[in-house]
Amino acid sequence: MSEVKMIATRQSYGNALAEYGAEYENLVVLDADLAGATQTGIFKKAFPERHIDCGIAECNMAGIAAGLATTGKIPFMSSFAMFAAGRAFEQVRNSIGYPHLNVKIGATHAGISVGEDGASHQCCEDVALMRTIPGMTVIVPSDDVEAKAAVKAAIEMEGPCYLRFGRLAVPVINDNDDYSFEIGKGIVLREGKEVALIASGLEVAETLSAAEKLAKDGIDAKVVNIHTIKPLDEELVIASAKETGKVVTIEEHSVIGGLGSAVCDVLSEKLPTKVLKIGVNDTFGESGPAKELIKKYGLDADSIYEKVKAFLS
Amino acid sequence: MDNLELKKTANEVRKGIVTAVHSAKSGHPGGSLSAADIYTYLYFKEMNIDPKDPRKPDRDRFVLSKGHTAPGYYSTLANRGFFPVEDLTTLRHTGSYLQGHPNMNEIPGVDMSSGSLGQGISAAVGMALSAKLSNESYRVYTLLGDGEIQEGQVWEAAMFAGHRQLDNLVVIVDNNGLQIDGNIADVCSPYPIDKKFEAFNFNVINISGHDFEQIEAAFTQARQTKGKPTAIIAKTVKGKGVSYMENNAGWHGKAPNDEEYAIAMKDLEKAGEELCQK
């Protein structure tokens, strides 16, 4: 078995910014005293004059990003998801979302895989918050390849975009030659007729492993990677539900308001289907190694496998 | 434009404020009237702007951080020729581009949407920073309320602007002394305002916000100041120009009825006539 490359998507974020910084001269990166953690430090090293440290003041950072965008810059404001989407929510809503400014929000350390820092820093509500803002694009990349592609797509699109990255190193799963990223276009990673497993972020790799286990039991699961939560690939979601009749959503986010809710919003209206939402069950996280927490909160491949089996029986 | 002309123009701006708010049956006349002279100076003398080309790239920028005093902003823009003065009577009406708080995508001349207090100054700082990053010479102005500076974000922005030595930024505080719940000194005092901005490495100028000589001197000094942003603390009278609104917190966010509107317009007509006799 070949060795699987592991890389955290926050690292991919920093690498991508540094790579595209040369091509896009208007690209400006803002951080709030977390450049080492969000990995924008990589960009800072390459383009120090275009890296703006705002200090520990995320609300002001959001406003500065908005002001920069009005003058034609492409600002990436970076912080932990908790502070970018949570603390600065109203600034993102009113100073960026309402005027539909071309600000990109690079939110790292999302979900419980933050690990040891514990519940105060484990944001499982950011996708829910961001997707309620009209005109906000919300992307949750699943690995290094996708994270990098998402950054490029965010630079090239016009308008506000929220990008969700993780702290934990995750396997590279999209390194196939025919991989292509398009905002709002989901990717079928595995065909199957009995159940559609729709996942995002680091849960895509866990879901693929779960599907392999299900296959050994003779259960034929379709696996869909929904990297763009908004605008959602409604066509693919509906087609997957139609094909299998049963849908499971898997995300490292609260079961309230995230991918699962977005999928249910579409299906309840267009094709009522039984849906199992796997995610963080309306609870706060806790301190611990990320891998252990993913298992404890039922988000690892084995847990997904068990839950899908129960759902199908 | 000389000071007499500025005074006459400000009086017309005030008429537009009262007319717009009366028509809307809601809105914020008090803080619009207190800032009318500053708005007028900015748009008729200070700023490099062109009503025929509202988005010209090298224009000076203005962000109304105290977005609720949109009637003052709109009346100034209309009188300056960005859109018809007659449109002021559509303020806050369903379908009107003159929203209750400024919308940059709808209104010619508006550089930033605002309304949620404490946020406009950050956007202005972002614009000033952008000019520095690209070696552009435009200047950025932002108008804040003295109640608004109770918002913590204002001081985050001030800290950043001082740290970055954004000498192309001018922060104006409309110090009319009143907020919704009463006197700012009683609600949660932001005083001393000048000392606070000084502590954040601003060049600070205290003036009367109704004296065009002092206003001109302050903005001139701001232009000449290098290495520091400027904060102009403008002492003003809330409701200035309308007898029964002056220094009355009750007129922060209330529209005059027909009778009150008539009195207000009479006050302003009289002031206009007196200016014409000078």
Side-chain angles (χ1 to χ4, degrees), chain B residues 146 149 155 173 175 184 190-197 233:
Chain B
D146 53 2
I149 63 174
W155 303 105
V173 178
N175 184 202
I184 59 165
Y191 293 120
I193 300 171
D194 50 0
K195 294 277 186 294
K196 286 190 174 65
F197 277 99
I233 319 301

Side-chain angles (χ1 to χ4, degrees), chain A residues 32 55-62 77 79-93 120-121 123 125-126 129-130 162, chain B residues 119 152-153 156:
Chain A
I56 310 166
E58 296 80 9
C59 300
N60 181 48
M61 175 169 65
M77 63 168 266
S79 185
F80 291 180
M82 191 68 254
F83 314 126
R87 187 190 199 94
F89 172 76
E90 207 248 56
Q91 283 74 11
V92 171
R93 192 263 190 199
S120 60
H121 287 55
C123 190
E125 304 87 9
D126 54 327
L129 286 166
M130 290 296 108
Y162 182 81
Chain B
Q119 297 190 26
Q153 187 179 342
E156 294 182 3

Side-chain angles (χ1 to χ4, degrees), chain A residues 28 49 51-54 56-60 63-64 66-68 70-71 73 90-91 94-95 98-101, chain B residues 61 99 102-105 111-113 116 119 122-123 125-127 129-130 133-134 136 138 153 156-157 160 164:
Chain A
V28 178
E49 72 289 353
H51 185 276
I52 312 296
D53 206 322
C54 298
I56 310 166
E58 296 80 9
C59 300
N60 181 48
I64 288 177
L68 286 165
T70 67
T71 62
K73 301 282 191 294
E90 207 248 56
Q91 283 74 11
N94 273 323
S95 287
Y98 176 48
H100 199 71
L101 289 171
Chain B
R61 266 74 172 175
Q99 290 291 296
N103 179 336
M104 65 183 286
N105 293 318
D111 294 314
M112 180 64 197
S113 301
S116 181
Q119 297 190 26
S122 294
V125 168
M127 293 172 185
L129 173 68
S130 187
L133 290 175
S134 311
E136 289 168 89
Y138 63 81
Q153 187 179 342
E156 294 182 3
F160 184 94
R164 287 261 168 184

Side-chain angles (χ1 to χ4, degrees), chain B residues 5-6 34 71 144:
Chain B
E5 286 303 310
L6 284 168
S34 65
L144 279 73

Side-chain angles (χ1 to χ4, degrees), chain A residues 178-312:
Chain A
D178 58 346
Y179 174 82
S180 81
F181 181 90
E182 190 184 330
I183 290 174
K185 206 101 190 105
I187 299 169
V188 177
L189 290 173
R190 185 187 177 106
E191 292 293 353
K193 301 277 179 212
E194 287 174 67
V195 62
L197 309 180
I198 300 178
S200 66
L202 61 76
E203 289 302 323
V204 175
E206 298 290 344
T207 300
L208 278 171
S209 301
E212 277 170 30
K213 277 192 86 171
L214 289 165
K216 282 179 192 151
D217 292 355
I219 298 168
D220 189 19
K222 184 182 180 93
V223 177
V224 177
N225 169 16
I226 292 289
H227 50 66
T228 309
I229 312 297
K230 187 183 181 182
L232 187 71
D233 189 344
E234 296 191 4
E235 208 176 300
L236 180 58
V237 168
I238 293 164
S240 302
K242 195 174 269 177
E243 189 182 357
T244 61
K246 290 194 183 75
V247 170
V248 179
T249 60
I250 311 102
E251 62 193 310
E252 192 208 2
H253 181 275
S254 171
V255 289
I256 299 170
L259 169 70
S261 294
V263 166
C264 288
D265 285 352
V266 174
L267 292 180
S268 62
E269 191 184 326
K270 307 257 172 76
L271 186 74
T273 306
K274 200 174 176 198
V275 178
L276 169 68
K277 292 195 287 182
I278 298 177
V280 177
N281 288 312
D282 193 19
T283 183
F284 293 106
E286 61 183 291
S287 288
K291 280 282 191 191
E292 283 180 33
L293 293 179
I294 286 170
K295 193 171 177 62
K296 180 168 180 179
Y297 286 77
L299 299 172
D300 63 317
D302 287 346
S303 303
I304 296 165
Y305 162 81
E306 296 292 345
K307 287 175 187 177
V308 173
K309 287 267 284 192
F311 177 63
L312 295 178

Side-chain angles (χ1 to χ4, degrees), chain A residues 9 140-144 146-147 170-171 173-174 200-202 204-205 225 227:
Chain A
T9 50
V140 184
S142 61
D143 77 343
D144 178 54
E146 196 156 83
V170 294
I173 55 174
N174 296 303
S200 66
L202 61 76
V204 175
N225 169 16
H227 50 66

